[in-house]
Amino acid sequence: MSDPLRLGIAGLGTVGVGVLKILRDQAELIEARAGRPLVATAVCARSRDKDRGVDISDLAWEDDPVALAQREDVDVFVELMGGSDGPAKAATEAAIAAGKDVVTANKAMLAVNGQALAEAAETAGHVIRFEAAVAGGIPVVKALTEGLSANRMERVMGVMNGTCNYILTRMQSAGLPYEAVFEEADRLGYLEADPELDVGGIDAGHKLSLLSSIAFGTKVDFEAVELEGIGEVTIEDIQQAADMGYRIKLLGVAQMTGRGLEQRMQPCLVPATSPLGQLEGGMNMVVLEGDAVGQIVMRGAGAGEGPTASAVMADVIDIARGIRVSTFGQPAAGLRAARPASSAVPAPYYLRMALLDRPGALAKVAQALGDNGISIDRMRQYGHTDETAPVLIVTHRTMRSALESALSDMAGTGVVSGKPVVLRIEEV
Amino acid sequence: MSDPLRLGIAGLGTVGVGVLKILRDQAELIEARAGRPLVATAVCARSRDKDRGVDISDLAWEDDPVALAQREDVDVFVELMGGSDGPAKAATEAAIAAGKDVVTANKAMLAVNGQALAEAAETAGHVIRFEAAVAGGIPVVKALTEGLSANRMERVMGVMNGTCNYILTRMQSAGLPYEAVFEEADRLGYLEADPELDVGGIDAGHKLSLLSSIAFGTKVDFEAVELEGIGEVTIEDIQQAADMGYRIKLLGVAQMTGRGLEQRMQPCLVPATSPLGQLEGGMNMVVLEGDAVGQIVMRGAGAGEGPTASAVMADVIDIARGIRVSTFGQPAAGLRAARPASSAVPAPYYLRMALLDRPGALAKVAQALGDNGISIDRMRQYGHTDETAPVLIVTHRTMRSALESALSDMAGTGVVSGKPVVLRIEEV
């Protein structure tokens, strides 16, 4: 039997503890699959004495993750601290410089520094793996990088923040407004310390930018992701969308278009009967579309001790098995810088607006759409409240630019009160 | 740049042609990902001159797949002929003996001869890969073998024959009997030359036995798969099941129980709202349940030129990248022989029977269930037709043995006409 593969684990939160438990509980099974034993030799975390429900007394302790990453008795540096820069990045760089492979669950670090880190690792002949950074337990990084490697990818989509999906489905099922469900999620401990990472779409946007890079052979470009959170989604829109056969999801979409790489993370309508539409609660789902394979859908838990540790350990076992694939599926130095494209693909849109009670108001709105070449799929006007009447419109496919022009024309008519709600309908 | 990886392709049906097209159309993309060029050097098929829509004039031709497998200019033998024994097996053995790696889409060959072939390949230091053999384009072999390698697997399920799923969903949507939809599927070319491979569950059973081996570290044991086809599924049962919130699927289930390894491929009821219940038409779905990751669901096309070629090529690219994993996830020589267990896990059941028009008939049926410790979840009796009344029963969880005993007791009461329909309800 070969020598053990020795892990140094930085960060003993939920995921780190999950990794230690798997190493302890499944040692025999993993050794059979990996072809060699896997052992943790050293750890570091904020507090040494905290009771984590797992014994770390036989592991070497380091206060400094950089020191951990440089230890002689560590072959693989497992980075579970989080944070785009700071200690996580410093320790990862130290690990690469010290000749270690790296496994990380840190989407923020890779979204911001992934290109440089991958180049450094590949120059040094080492690997950075990050299955746990995207969609938790779903082995989607592997599916995209290896399982679909013969495909020219056409589109990658995903619901990749379980907290947002929980909030949106709970709003619908309980008929509650955003604020109430947000508070509920906070009480349940579902939110990050900085909730904007979740509800602002940042966390999910990080993940999307990593999948984009693999799918399209481009440098990670998180800055180019159009980010829109769920804070503006109203219970009215959720209910109106449901009435018309849709669900509202915080959906990430990346696709290569003739104008460049489009990356969006925003609330979208999807058909209620589609797999994405049917995704309820805290689950994650990723949809991968390739020219040969068609559409592959993967569903599972996007967070939590077991699922995330499962993904971390799969990367570690890959390394033990000698599997060495470039971080983003091809050498980082050869990744292209994508030209960012904004809404370059036509789509149907959902519009909700308050129409002033004036003769011909509806006709003026319809005229503004028609003048911009936008045809209407469905329109509903409801009874008046105060001086305005709610109007819902589902358009046929149109370019976002044409829609913006129509919205500007509508504003000029003086019959629309306030700013219309505009949500893209993603065809899935 | 490294030397090209040279492929010898045996079998130029739909899948073989798809592989040649990908090699031609995506050469640049694949070279970037694989780190070296991939080229077909030689092929063999039944007819050399058939028009396949792809030019093979620059490829060496062999009439004999064994000769192809032994060619000096072939590094990877790609077996796309099919058949559990005969030329496919002979050529695969020849390839291994000649020091080649093997990629195959042949579920029958591996289900019957996989253990011996994997042992031979591993002894020789070569790999056999078979992503395309299970669920077409869905990268489920990779997900299970690598992506979930840190999990003790608890259950593996799947709808893995698109033809059967097409027939069952079409029966429901069109309200047509089995025979009519079977003929329709035949006209559309959806059926294998021997349709029993599809509708008898054999093809899907082959696939299940391969997933079982990976999931549970056991020798492939197709003979132990309890096989039941869809030929007995009636439109009545489909409609009654739908009324009670279920769908009937040809579902493969493998799970390790206290009594041994249970492998079943049979029509089952699943909740209509579950991912499996929502799977329509010719799609495939695999559900993987592990102790750490929870439930992972994968959905995609289970057959067809593009999806299957995508899976074949992913295996080839893995080999080009130097990824070498044991055929069944751990060395074949170390796989255990599983003790087969038959329905060792309790489940709810759906029963449909024709009750004779006699006083106390329903009570006697209920009594037979109660006497065997089986409680009733739901029961419906419908209006009489002729001398019998249809009765539907959904039981709570029970062992199959208790149910058989109850059915035997019922037969003894003389109030049941004919043989009751018994379908397992799989909790998903």
Side-chain angles (χ1 to χ4, degrees), chain B residues 351 364-374 376 393 395 403 406 410:
Chain B
L351 309 177
K364 284 181 185 165
V365 165
Q367 174 89 33
L369 291 168
D371 286 350
N372 288 280
I374 302 169
I376 294 172
I393 298 171
T395 73
L403 187 67
M410 279 180 213

Side-chain angles (χ1 to χ4, degrees), chain B residues 187-266:
Chain B
R187 278 199 307 278
L188 292 167
Y190 289 0
L191 288 163
E192 301 261 3
D194 174 5
E196 196 57 21
L197 287 174
D198 285 318
V199 298
I202 298 167
D203 166 82
H206 285 148
K207 296 168 183 168
L208 182 69
S209 71
L210 299 176
L211 293 184
S212 284
S213 172
I214 304 168
F216 305 111
T218 52
K219 291 183 202 292
V220 180
D221 190 1
F222 168 65
E223 289 301 317
V225 178
E226 285 181 63
L227 272 187
E228 196 184 330
I230 62 169
E232 307 283 311
V233 176
T234 66
I235 181 68
E236 286 79 18
D237 290 313
I238 287 178
Q239 288 169 342
Q240 299 293 1
D243 280 353
M244 292 192 290
Y246 295 103
R247 296 282 179 275
I248 299 182
K249 298 288 172 191
L250 178 64
L251 185 67
V253 180
Q255 58 197 133
M256 187 58 77
T257 74
R259 299 178 183 200
L261 176 62
E262 184 174 329
Q263 298 182 90
R264 292 179 280 111
M265 179 59 65
Q266 62 188 183

Side-chain angles (χ1 to χ4, degrees), chain A residues 243-274:
Chain A
D243 280 353
M244 291 192 290
Y246 295 103
R247 296 282 179 275
I248 299 183
K249 299 288 170 190
L250 177 64
L251 185 67
V253 181
Q255 58 196 129
M256 187 59 78
T257 75
R259 298 176 182 202
L261 177 63
E262 184 174 331
Q263 299 183 88
R264 294 179 279 110
M265 179 59 65
Q266 62 189 183
C268 286
L269 272 64
V270 294
T273 54
S274 66

Side-chain angles (χ1 to χ4, degrees), chain B residues 8-294:
Chain B
I9 301 171
L12 291 179
T14 310
V15 182
V17 168
V19 166
L20 288 175
K21 284 186 191 164
I22 290 180
L23 283 168
R24 181 192 65 195
D25 298 345
Q26 307 293 3
E28 194 186 345
L29 180 126
I30 288 174
E31 183 172 337
R33 291 177 180 164
R36 56 195 289 198
L38 267 58
V39 295
T41 48
V43 294
C44 95
R46 286 208 197 97
S47 153
R48 183 169 189 170
D49 300 321
K50 184 176 166 188
D51 180 10
R52 299 179 169 90
V54 60
D55 182 17
I56 57 167
S57 62
D58 57 340
L59 304 178
W61 177 270
E62 295 280 356
D63 288 313
D64 175 9
V66 170
L68 181 82
Q70 292 169 328
R71 285 178 67 99
E72 292 249 327
D73 61 358
V74 165
D75 301 312
V76 179
F77 177 63
V78 181
E79 188 281 302
L80 305 173
M81 294 180 288
S84 61
D85 296 276
K89 176 164 169 264
T92 300
E93 288 169 341
I96 294 165
K100 321 292 188 188
D101 292 320
V102 175
V103 171
T104 177
N106 190 332
K107 57 226 81 166
M109 178 176 77
L110 291 179
V112 176
N113 299 300
Q115 179 67 29
L117 291 171
E119 286 192 35
E122 289 167 19
T123 302
H126 295 287
V127 298
I128 301 179
R129 305 288 305 244
F130 62 95
E131 185 64 81
V134 182
I138 305 176
V140 61
V141 171
K142 180 169 280 283
L144 186 58
T145 314
E146 302 168 28
L148 304 185
S149 57
N151 287 261
R152 185 171 297 279
M153 297 307 295
E154 296 174 339
R155 185 168 61 161
V156 172
M157 296 186 287
V159 169
M160 295 184 285
N161 183 285
T163 303
C164 288
N165 203 52
Y166 168 81
I167 291 175
L168 293 173
T169 53
R170 173 87 177 131
M171 283 171 72
Q172 173 164 10
S173 63
L176 289 170
Y178 174 79
E179 292 71 20
V181 179
F182 178 91
E183 277 169 30
E184 191 179 272
D186 199 16
R187 278 199 307 278
L188 292 167
Y190 289 0
L191 288 163
E192 301 261 3
D194 174 5
E196 196 57 21
L197 287 174
D198 285 318
V199 298
I202 298 167
D203 166 82
H206 285 148
K207 296 168 183 168
L208 182 69
S209 71
L210 299 176
L211 293 184
S212 284
S213 172
I214 304 168
F216 305 111
T218 52
K219 291 183 202 292
V220 180
D221 190 1
F222 168 65
E223 289 301 317
V225 178
E226 285 181 63
L227 272 187
E228 196 184 330
I230 62 169
E232 307 283 311
V233 176
T234 66
I235 181 68
E236 286 79 18
D237 290 313
I238 287 178
Q239 288 169 342
Q240 299 293 1
D243 280 353
M244 292 192 290
Y246 295 103
R247 296 282 179 275
I248 299 182
K249 298 288 172 191
L250 178 64
L251 185 67
V253 180
Q255 58 197 133
M256 187 58 77
T257 74
R259 299 178 183 200
L261 176 62
E262 184 174 329
Q263 298 182 90
R264 292 179 280 111
M265 179 59 65
Q266 62 188 183
C268 286
L269 273 64
V270 295
T273 55
S274 66
L276 282 166
Q278 288 160 347
L279 189 74
E280 307 237 312
M283 286 287 117
N284 277 204
M285 181 175 283
V286 184
V287 179
L288 307 172
E289 294 175 348
D291 61 346
V293 80

Side-chain angles (χ1 to χ4, degrees), chain A residues 26 32-33 142 145-147 149-152 215 278 291-292 296-299 306-307 310 313-314 317 321 329-330, chain B residues 26 32-33 142 145-147 149-152 215 278 291-293 296-299 306-307 310 313-314 317 321 329-330:
Chain A
Q26 307 293 3
R33 291 176 180 165
K142 181 170 278 284
T145 314
E146 303 168 27
S149 57
N151 287 261
R152 186 171 297 280
Q278 288 160 347
D291 61 346
I296 297 290
V297 179
M298 302 178 80
R299 176 187 190 275
S310 166
M313 285 302 301
I317 293 170
R321 280 170 161 166
Q330 51 184 287
Chain B
Q26 307 293 3
R33 291 177 180 164
K142 180 169 280 283
T145 314
E146 302 168 28
S149 57
N151 287 261
R152 185 171 297 279
Q278 288 160 347
D291 61 346
V293 80
I296 297 290
V297 179
M298 303 178 80
R299 177 187 190 275
S310 165
M313 286 302 300
I317 293 170
R321 281 169 161 168
Q330 50 185 286

Side-chain angles (χ1 to χ4, degrees), chain A residues 158-172:
Chain A
V159 170
M160 294 184 288
N161 184 285
T163 302
C164 289
N165 203 52
Y166 168 82
I167 291 175
L168 293 172
T169 53
R170 174 88 177 131
M171 284 172 72
Q172 174 164 9

